[in-house]
Amino acid sequence: EDVARQALFSAKQTLLQNLLAAYYSLVQSEMTLEAAQSNRDINKAFVDITNHYARIGRTRKMDELQSQANYSLALVDTEQNQVLLSSNQASMNRYLGDPQQTPLKSNYRVTINPVGNLTLAQAEEAAGKNNPLLVTDQLNVSVVDYSKAVDLSLDMPTLNLTATGGYQSPDIP
C-alpha cells in the first residue's frame, strides 16, 4: 500500500515538474518572440531609413544591402521563434491534457525571488526528507545493508555455551 502511494505521489510530482518546465519554456519562448518581433520592427525601420537616404543620395549601396540583409535575418529569427512558441504551446497542452491544442498565452513574467540563506546542507536535508524517490532509495539501501549483514553473519563461527548451576545450603547436612 505504501509503495503504491509512493508511486502515485512520485508520478504526480514528475507530472508537476514537467508541467512547470513546460510552462517556463512557454514563457521564455513568448518573451523571445516578443524580442525578435521588436528586433524585426527596428530592422524594418532601419531599411526604410536607408532606402530614404539612398533615394536622396546620402548613403552607399552597401549600407542599403546590409540593412536589407539584417531585416531578412530578423524575419527568419521571428519565424523560428514563432515555431518554437507553437511547439512549447503543444507541449503545454499535452501536459494539461488538451487534445484540441488550444493556443495558450501566459500573462506571467519571470522574476527571481531568493529563498533565503539556504546552505547546501540544509537544501540536501530538505530534499532528502521531501523527495519520495530519495526516501524510497534510502529505505532500499537500509534493507540491502541489513540483508548483507545477515548473510555475512552466517559465515561467522558460532560459539555455544552451556552452563549448569546448583546451590546447596550449608545448614543442610
Side-chain angles (χ1 to χ4, degrees), residues 4-45:
R5 289 182 198 276
Q6 284 283 3
L8 176 63
F9 184 78
S10 177
K12 287 179 181 179
Q13 191 174 30
T14 301
L15 175 64
L16 184 60
Q17 183 180 18
N18 291 338
L19 186 62
L20 283 172
Y23 179 74
Y24 281 109
S25 294
L26 177 68
V27 171
Q28 181 182 14
S29 60
E30 285 176 353
M31 294 173 77
T32 304
L33 179 61
E34 288 172 11
Q37 289 170 337
S38 175
N39 185 42
R40 179 201 59 205
D41 296 342
I42 290 169
N43 279 308
K44 176 63 176 153

Side-chain angles (χ1 to χ4, degrees), residues 3 10-11 13 29 33 35 52 57 65 80 84 88 110 125 134 149 163:
V3 173
S10 177
Q13 191 174 30
S29 60
L33 179 61
H52 175 71
L65 294 174
Q80 287 175 339
L84 180 63
N88 286 334
V110 178
E125 181 181 348
L134 290 177

Side-chain angles (χ1 to χ4, degrees), residues 132-147:
L133 293 175
L134 290 177
V135 171
T136 303
D137 289 344
Q138 287 172 347
L139 289 174
N140 286 339
V141 167
S142 298
V143 167
V144 168
D145 288 343
Y146 178 76
S147 297

Side-chain angles (χ1 to χ4, degrees), residues 34-135:
E34 288 172 11
Q37 289 170 337
S38 175
N39 185 42
R40 179 201 59 205
D41 296 342
I42 290 169
N43 279 308
K44 176 63 176 153
F46 188 62
V47 166
D48 294 340
I49 291 169
T50 307
N51 287 339
H52 175 71
Y53 280 151
R55 273 186 253 120
I56 62 174
R58 293 194 62 204
T59 188
R60 299 174 301 186
K61 187 68 174 172
M62 184 61 146
D63 293 335
E64 188 179 1
L65 294 174
Q66 183 66 49
S67 67
Q68 289 173 353
N70 288 342
Y71 178 63
S72 296
L73 290 173
L75 287 174
V76 170
D77 190 38
T78 302
E79 191 63 33
Q80 287 175 339
N81 283 309
Q82 183 63 46
V83 169
L84 180 63
L85 176 63
S86 297
S87 172
N88 286 334
Q89 285 175 336
S91 176
M92 186 73 171
N93 281 332
R94 186 175 55 251
Y95 287 122
L96 292 174
D98 183 8
Q100 298 174 353
Q101 298 296 320
T102 307
L104 296 171
K105 173 111 176 100
S106 71
N107 293 325
Y108 181 77
R109 291 299 170 251
V110 178
T111 58
I112 298 174
N113 296 325
V115 176
N117 295 332
L118 188 65
T119 65
L120 180 61
Q122 291 170 332
E124 288 175 348
E125 181 181 348
K129 288 180 182 176
N130 298 325
N131 190 324
L133 293 175
L134 290 177
V135 171

